[in-house]
Amino acid sequence: ALSDDADLVLFMSRASNLASGVVDENNGDDVFVYQRSTGSTSLVSRSANSPSVPANNNSSPIGISSDGEWIVFNSDATNVVAGVIDSNNATDAFLYQRSSGSISLVSRAASSPITTANAQSRARSISSDGQWVAFSSLATNLVNGILDNNSTQDAFVFQTITQA
């Protein structure tokens, strides 16, 4: 995926030598962003404990906002966001903010921003302004008050930026 000005390139790789200072020991797919204007590559799918350590399982890029500030990716890792209770043993959707380096769980239980959904979720796209992430999920605990017993994937949207 590319930012609108094509300066940022979002991609996936198993290579262990793409970003300076990164110690890659997961032997899996990681998400990176390459900035053409500076020639620098940064790790996106990383451990919450260190920006130079990849997440502990495979990750895949999905999309980038027009200005490149927001990146959405999927991961099977359990250590992407500090404090997250990941008990679904499945793929989850995450949102990375480039300016702060913060990562948020998108596919989260309605009752808690740090508890994963109770089944697989996959981000599908991000809006050009980065405010909305569309994702699909088999989970039944994403929306309070909704009884989801159709045993199939449903579509959801997650608002990344709270309007004042």
Side-chain angles (χ1 to χ4, degrees):
L2 297 170
S3 58
D4 273 4
D5 63 2
D7 186 41
L8 298 169
V9 180
L10 182 64
F11 67 99
M12 175 179 66
S13 178
R14 287 184 174 233
S16 61
N17 62 346
L18 294 175
S20 178
V22 170
V23 179
D24 191 350
E25 297 175 351
N26 71 357
N27 297 315
D29 296 327
D30 301 309
V31 177
F32 296 89
V33 63
Y34 172 72
Q35 189 166 7
R36 292 178 53 232
S37 61
T38 64
S40 65
T41 301
S42 302
L43 177 64
V44 172
S45 58
R46 60 193 195 200
S47 163
N49 295 327
S50 174
S52 61
V53 175
N56 62 10
N57 209 331
N58 291 323
S59 299
S60 58
I62 298 302
I64 188 168
S65 62
S66 295
D67 64 0
E69 175 66 5
W70 301 95
I71 294 172
V72 65
F73 66 98
N74 294 320
S75 185
D76 295 329
T78 59
N79 66 339
V80 176
V81 177
V84 163
I85 301 160
D86 190 347
S87 58
N88 65 12
N89 198 30
T91 302
D92 298 300
F94 295 92
L95 182 71
Y96 173 77
Q97 185 178 19
R98 284 187 61 243
S99 62
S100 69
S102 67
I103 300 176
S104 303
L105 176 63
V106 170
S107 54
R108 59 195 191 194
S111 61
S112 170
I114 61 165
T115 302
T116 58
N118 59 9
Q120 173 183 292
S121 299
R122 292 190 184 276
R124 300 298 181 184
S125 64
I126 187 167
S127 62
S128 62
D129 64 1
Q131 184 171 350
W132 302 96
V133 174
F135 68 101
S136 61
S137 184
L138 292 168
T140 60
N141 65 340
L142 292 166
V143 180
N144 280 327
I146 300 293
L147 177 62
D148 183 356
N149 58 7
N150 64 5
S151 300
T152 190
Q153 287 195 27
D154 297 304
F156 298 89
V157 287
F158 175 82
Q159 187 173 14
T160 64
I161 304 165
T162 304
Q163 297 294 326

